[in-house]
Structure formats: structure tokens, C-alpha cells
Amino acid sequence: MRWPWKQSLCLTKRSTANPSGRQSQRQTTVNTIYDPACAEKEKYTSKDGEDVYYPTTTTVELDMQSRYSPPKEAHWLVRRIFFLNWIVTYDRPQAFADLIAGITLGLTIIPQSIAYAALAGLSSEYGLYSAFIGSIIYVFFGTIPQVSIGPTSLMAIMTLQYCEGKPVQMVIVLAFMAGLVEFFMGVCQLGFIVSFIPAPVTKAFTSGTAVIVVLVQIKNLLGIRLKEVPSIGDFFSAIRYSDATMGFICLVLLLSLRMLSQVKFKQDTPFTQRLKKILWYISISRNALVVFFSGLLVYIWVHKSSLEAVPFVLSAKVSSAMPTVKLPPFAFESQNRTYVFTDILQELGSGVIVVPIVAVLANVAIAKAFVKDGKLDASQEMLTLGLCNLAGSFMSAMPTCGAFTRSAVSQASGVRTPMAGLYTGLIVLSALSVLTPYFQYIPRSSLAAVLMAAVFFMIDLTPLKDLWESSKKDFFSWVGTLIICLVAGVEMGLLFGIVVSMICILLRLGNPKIEVSLKQQGNNYYIHVVPQSDIFYTGVDTLRTEIRSACLLYRCDFPVVLHCGRFMQFDATFVEMLMAVAKELAADDVLLILQSMSLKQQQMLPVASNIRFSNEDQDSLHLEVKQ
């Protein structure tokens, strides 16, 4: 008994029967004959008589292939030292925009670094060391212009958690170990973890972090010095109206200057073009201008009266201490105790793994929030973050990662390339040497206004409506991530979103959606089983259950046609399942027809008397029903 399997190979048949003597070309079909009674190695043969077949490749196809062929992949060194990709096209407008963004970011990162160092229980210079080296390293290896590597509230809190009450050397070794883990994650190309951060989770993380920044900066904007506000009445009574006035004026100026870049003129003349460019430069310089003039106002006030007479809360004084390159303290003495490397690892405990993983997840989420073309090399970002922490440990820095707030400031300042980090690093270096006496004149309310204006437009509540209408799962993932970010912290919110997404993926893999229907072809009926999603080995048991249920429903009266086009990673588990199903159906004298199965997959199956193969679509499906 033989049955044909028709496979259209789009081959050209050459025939010599043309009276004109020229070879004619026509499309034909090769019939692949499958005989289960023959030897295993001869199961599949092509029968064709006197015809000879040649593949057809036209000149048009060759031109299309050459025109739309993918670009040649860059050398691995160019891909890793990302600086080499954009420096060849770096021009003056980009340099000017990066200069403004770098200066603005430098004026923002200095007081932040001092605050985050204090939050981690360290003196101010440790935060500035982290800001300096992270900004410089990212220039050469970073891929997202907006990302700013340096001390963050997240890393400060985790450093405090694992190093509180311990020698400062522990913090430096923690930075080294975190950098080592992150570096090897990048080398091992573990950037695929970015796929486990879906868009709703990223949006919720972005909005949640922006809300937290606004809430935290309200105290600085209003000049409130209380660490904890016990009641609403105490909150309002603690407001310093001079700081509140300064903060709101700066906030209004920032939002107004932001609109300058959107000014349109009725006539497009050379004068209006120059004016538009001037307004654009003023707009992207707004953060630096506000910080500079507010600091200049305080400086003049101090020199005309005294520092005590200034009615504003000012930034803390920065200690002048230039960084020195030295090995991390893998062994040291503290309080009459000698610590060796194993002792340090024991003291740090799970922080050696938890800190780098949280830093990577936060950094990748921030990078996804600011990437424009969708081309995010997460492995390169991991490698870069690892290098920043490794280099920072040689300069006595604390652990670092990307900061959402500073990235928003950089975006609002018109950054174009990672070169802005060079100017930021130079300003931080100046703060550690020359400019330290002057940064204390910056009012905290003006810095709070800069941070709040930068993140206002990052709060996106549109998913509330869009996700509810499109996907309830994504809606609850977004809401849950946002709530946990606000209640338990951004790292827990991000972790929640990733875990929920992974659970949904596992459920989908283990319970694929399968459509089963009874259909008619001519005078014959058949049970059509069509997977509506990709089937991996985790879903074969569900598929087998659906087939058996359908056969029981229709009392084994009809053949079963199983569409195999969505079988992914066909392996021994699939083979075992199909042969078990075939054996069960054979006991009830039911035919199993495997539709759209590749020749390679067919060759993996042993010979079975009740298995047929078909490469035809549903409308022209050829059925041979055993009577």
C-alpha cells in the first residue's frame, strides 16, 4: 500500500519536447512517496520518470538579495568598545549638546552623590569617587546616551543593608565583587534576561520611580528639614517659605523654558531659523541655568552679608580629596581584628550576588526606558556596569548602577552621545579638587526643582485604559508593579513584574491553546487539531490529552489531522508523544495525519502503520480513510 505526499518545491522542469528546439520552463510538483513497509533508510524517495529538475534562480532575485542583504557585522572589538561606533560621526552640534548635558548632569550628580554616600553611612568623597569613575568608563563602553552610572539611592540602601556597622573596606570589596559578577554576566551574554522585562513592567517601573522621586523631593523643595514628619500639621509648620518660594520659581522657570524649543514662527526666514536655534539652546540649557543662577544668587548674598544670613537650605560642604588608584582591600585590619578575603565574603554574605543582580535589573530597565530604536545590547550594558564597579573599587568607590533621575535630567538637557559623561566626570573631579568651596552655595530647593521637572513627564498613566482593553494580565502586572514600587521599593516592584511575567510564560508553555473541530472534506469528515500557540516539549502532554478527548467525543469514528507547523524544538519528547498517540489510535483503528510537518521531523519518527503525512492546506487536504 502506497500513498503520496505532495510537496511543492517550486522547481523548474526542463523538457526537450519543444518543437522550436528551445528548452521550455514550467512549474511542477515532486511527489514524495512514503511506504511504511520499506526499509527505514528508504522511507522517503523522489519518483520522477524521465524529467530532470533544476532550481530556478533569476537575475532579479540575485539583485534583490545583494541589495537587501544584512550589513556586515562589526568586529567584536568595535562592538565592545562602543565608543568606536559613534566617534567617527561626532560633530559640533552633538559636542555642544553633550557639553550642556554634561555640565547640567555634573551639577546634579554632585549633591546627589553626597546625599547617597551619607545614606550608605559613608563620607561624601566615596559618593563622588563613584560618580567620577562611572561617568568616565561609560563614555567608552556605554550604549545609551541618557544612562548615568554612579551612586543611587537603590545601591546606597543595599550597601547600608549589607555593610552597616562594618569597616568601610567592606563597601569597596562589595563594589569589586559586584563588578566582577556583572562583568561575567556580560561576557557570558546573559543579556537575554531583558526579554523577561515586558513593556508594561518597564512602564510601571518608570512611572513608579518618577512618583517616588517627586515625593522624596517635595521636602527639599519646601525646605523641610525634619527627617520624619509625624503629622500633617507638623508638615505644614515645618515649611520654610523662602525655600518654597525659591523652589516654585525654579520649577515654573524650568517648565516655561522647556516650552521654548516648541516655539513656531509663521515665516521661515534666516533670522527666525537663528532665533529658533537660540531658543533651543536656551531650552536644553535650562537645568544648568537654573542651578547656576540660584547658586550665584546665594554666593552674592553670602559675600554681602554672611552665610548664616542666607534664608535657604544649602547643599552640604564637599570634602576636597582627590582619588588615588590602589588595589581593593582584600585583607585589612580594623578594631584589632584582621580580615582576610574569605572573612570579607562571609561578612558580605548574599550581598555578593544580590547587589549585582539588582543593579543589573535596574540598569537594564532604565536603559529600556530611554532606548529609542529598540536596539538594546543588554549584555554590553552588563559588561559596562561591571567595568564601572571594578574600576570604582580601585578608587575606593561604593557600588553603582544607572540612576533613573539623572538619566531623566540628561534626557531633558538634550544629551546626544555618551560623551556627556566625560564632562560630568571632569566636573566631579573638579568638585573633588578646585570647586569644592563653591558647591555648598547651591540651594537644595533649586536642585529639587530640577529633579522634579525632569521626571514629571515620565509619569505615564495611559496604560490604565489601554492595558485594561487589550490584556487583563498586563494590566494587573502594571498595577502590581507600580503599587509595589511605591510601597516596598523599586527593586521589589521590578522583581515582582519579572516574576509575574515568567510565571505567565511558564503557564503558557505548559498549557498551550489548542483548537479542536470537526470538519468536512468532500464526503469525508475529520477531526482537525490546530495549536493556536507555539508547542514546546512542555506542552506535549496537553496536546495528547486534547487529541484523546476529541477521539472520545467523536467515538473514534473519524481520522485525526494534527497541524504540526507550530512544533518548536522538535525532540525525543515530541517523538515519544506522537508514537504513543499513534499507538492509542491504532487500537481503535483511527488514522493519524500529520499536517505541515517538515521532512527533517518526519525522518525522526519510526514507521507506524496508521500515520500519514500531508503538506497540503486545509482546503485541498487529501484524505484516505480506511474502510
Side-chain angles (χ1 to χ4, degrees):
M1 181 177 64
R2 296 175 181 266
W3 51 87
W5 172 52
K6 297 181 180 180
Q7 181 185 23
S8 179
L9 300 178
C10 296
L11 303 178
T12 299
K13 177 181 178 182
R14 288 190 180 180
S15 175
T16 57
N18 195 325
S20 62
R22 294 180 300 175
Q23 293 179 334
S24 62
Q25 294 185 348
R26 62 183 177 87
Q27 297 294 320
T28 188
T29 301
V30 178
N31 290 332
T32 302
I33 307 302
Y34 168 43
D35 188 352
C38 65
E40 182 75 18
K41 63 180 181 179
E42 299 174 352
K43 266 197 315 188
Y44 304 88
T45 58
S46 294
K47 298 293 178 93
D48 150 54
E50 299 178 355
D51 294 325
V52 181
Y53 295 89
Y54 301 90
T56 301
T57 304
T58 64
T59 305
V60 175
E61 290 174 344
L62 292 175
D63 292 340
M64 293 291 288
Q65 292 175 2
S66 61
R67 182 177 180 181
Y68 296 103
S69 58
K72 186 178 179 180
E73 190 177 19
H75 191 270
W76 69 268
L77 186 64
V78 176
R79 297 198 308 271
R80 293 298 163 242
I81 306 178
F82 202 78
F83 169 83
L84 301 175
N85 285 271
W86 52 265
I87 193 61
V88 293
T89 58
Y90 199 65
D91 53 21
R92 185 178 298 176
Q94 289 178 325
F96 186 77
D98 288 341
L99 176 63
I100 294 174
I103 294 174
T104 304
L105 193 58
L107 296 175
T108 304
I109 198 173
I110 290 171
Q112 277 192 344
S113 301
I114 298 169
Y116 294 149
L119 179 60
L122 306 172
S123 55
S124 59
E125 63 267 21
Y126 291 99
L128 292 172
Y129 293 159
S130 305
F132 160 70
I133 192 62
S135 300
I136 297 297
I137 294 294
Y138 199 82
V139 172
F140 299 97
F141 299 95
T143 62
I144 309 298
Q146 292 83 359
V147 172
S148 171
I149 303 294
T152 64
S153 58
L154 178 60
M155 287 293 99
I157 292 172
M158 300 203 72
T159 300
L160 181 67
Q161 178 181 349
Y162 290 102
C163 300
E164 185 178 10
K166 299 174 182 177
V168 69
Q169 291 89 339
M170 293 284 186
V171 177
I172 301 172
V173 176
L174 179 60
F176 175 83
M177 295 304 300
L180 194 63
V181 173
E182 293 156 357
F183 181 80
F184 277 108
M185 289 177 70
V187 170
C188 296
Q189 296 290 301
L190 298 183
F192 64 87
I193 67 170
V194 70
S195 303
F196 293 100
I197 309 179
V201 174
T202 303
K203 291 180 180 179
F205 170 81
T206 304
S207 299
T209 308
V211 171
I212 291 174
V213 170
V214 171
L215 294 177
V216 169
Q217 295 301 323
I218 285 178
K219 289 175 61 177
N220 292 328
L221 186 75
L222 302 177
I224 298 175
R225 294 183 176 182
L226 298 176
K227 292 184 178 180
E228 296 182 1
V229 181
S231 64
I232 298 178
D234 294 335
F235 178 83
F236 284 102
S237 62
I239 294 176
R240 294 170 56 93
Y241 292 100
S242 57
D243 286 284
T245 303
M246 167 70 79
F248 280 110
I249 290 176
C250 291
L251 195 59
V252 171
L253 284 175
L254 288 166
L255 296 177
S256 302
L257 292 175
R258 176 188 173 90
M259 304 299 295
L260 288 181
S261 60
Q262 303 176 12
V263 173
K264 296 182 179 180
F265 297 93
K266 294 183 179 180
Q267 297 181 349
D268 189 12
T269 62
F271 173 76
T272 58
Q273 290 178 357
R274 288 193 296 269
L275 182 59
K276 189 175 182 179
K277 183 173 291 188
I278 293 173
L279 294 177
W280 181 81
Y281 282 136
I282 295 174
S283 178
I284 66 173
S285 307
R286 60 187 179 274
N287 296 324
L289 291 174
V290 167
V291 172
F292 173 77
F293 283 108
S294 62
L296 180 63
L297 174 64
V298 173
Y299 179 80
I300 296 173
W301 197 313
V302 168
H303 282 73
K304 285 189 174 182
S305 56
S306 65
L307 187 62
E308 290 75 15
V310 176
F312 309 115
V313 178
L314 305 180
S315 301
K317 189 175 182 179
V318 180
S319 301
S320 180
M322 290 295 292
T324 57
V325 180
K326 58 183 178 181
L327 285 173
F330 298 121
F332 61 90
E333 292 185 2
S334 177
Q335 296 181 353
N336 299 324
R337 179 182 174 183
T338 301
Y339 292 88
V340 296
F341 187 62
T342 53
D343 296 330
I344 298 173
L345 293 182
Q346 187 176 0
E347 290 286 337
L348 294 175
S350 61
V352 174
I353 301 298
V354 175
V355 170
I357 290 178
V358 171
V360 164
L361 292 178
N363 206 68
V364 170
I366 292 170
K368 285 189 68 175
F370 289 95
V371 67
K372 291 183 178 180
D373 54 5
K375 297 179 180 179
L376 173 61
D377 189 347
S379 297
Q380 178 66 16
E381 287 296 306
M382 294 175 183
L383 189 145
T384 304
L385 182 59
L387 290 176
C388 290
N389 279 307
L390 285 173
S393 67
F394 283 83
M395 293 189 176
S396 303
M398 59 186 288
T400 60
C401 72
F404 178 82
T405 305
R406 293 196 300 271
S407 300
V409 170
S410 185
Q411 168 81 359
S413 300
V415 68
R416 303 288 289 277
T417 70
M419 182 64 77
L422 178 62
Y423 308 117
T424 301
L426 292 177
I427 289 179
V428 175
L429 193 62
S430 301
L432 286 165
S433 57
V434 179
L435 302 179
T436 47
Y438 302 101
F439 286 105
Q440 61 178 326
Y441 298 115
I442 301 175
R444 288 188 180 181
S445 56
S446 63
L447 286 175
V450 169
L451 297 176
M452 293 174 68
V455 300
F456 268 151
F457 301 95
M458 294 292 177
I459 301 175
D460 184 13
L461 301 180
T462 54
L464 278 173
K465 179 182 178 181
D466 298 339
L467 294 180
W468 178 259
E469 296 176 351
S470 61
S471 173
K472 300 296 189 295
K473 175 188 71 67
D474 289 337
F475 173 81
F476 287 113
S477 177
W478 184 89
V479 172
T481 301
L482 179 63
I483 293 175
I484 294 180
C485 280
L486 297 177
V487 174
V490 292
E491 72 279 6
M492 295 303 298
L494 186 60
L495 182 62
F496 169 83
I498 294 173
V499 170
V500 169
S501 301
M502 292 180 67
I503 291 174
C504 293
I505 292 173
L506 292 176
L507 291 175
R508 188 178 303 171
L509 291 177
N511 297 279
K513 186 178 180 181
I514 300 171
E515 181 183 89
V516 180
S517 58
L518 183 66
K519 296 186 177 180
Q520 183 178 7
Q521 179 70 37
N523 295 324
N524 298 319
Y525 289 89
Y526 63 94
I527 302 171
H528 203 200
V529 182
V530 182
Q532 300 299 305
S533 59
D534 293 340
I535 304 290
F536 293 85
Y537 75 93
T538 52
V540 296
D541 290 334
T542 302
L543 181 60
R544 179 179 178 179
T545 301
E546 290 289 339
I547 295 174
R548 289 302 301 160
S549 299
C551 290
L552 292 175
L553 176 64
Y554 296 108
R555 302 178 182 180
C556 298
D557 291 337
F558 311 108
V560 176
V561 178
L562 175 60
H563 194 283
C564 307
R566 305 197 74 165
F567 285 1
M568 301 289 110
Q569 298 177 355
F570 195 84
D571 56 10
T573 306
F574 279 96
V575 173
E576 182 179 348
M577 182 272 294
L578 291 175
M579 298 313 298
V581 170
K583 185 177 180 180
E584 293 170 356
L585 297 181
D588 297 320
D589 201 19
V590 176
L591 190 67
L592 176 62
I593 301 175
L594 302 179
Q595 183 183 13
S596 300
M597 176 175 278
S598 68
L599 186 61
K600 181 179 178 181
Q601 293 174 347
Q602 294 178 34
Q603 292 172 340
M604 295 175 64
L605 295 175
V607 174
S609 59
N610 67 323
I611 290 183
R612 304 291 186 272
F613 300 97
S614 174
N615 200 41
E616 299 170 338
D617 57 21
Q618 176 185 339
D619 296 332
S620 59
L621 186 65
H622 175 71
L623 298 175
E624 181 179 347
V625 184
K626 184 177 180 180
Q627 302 295 334

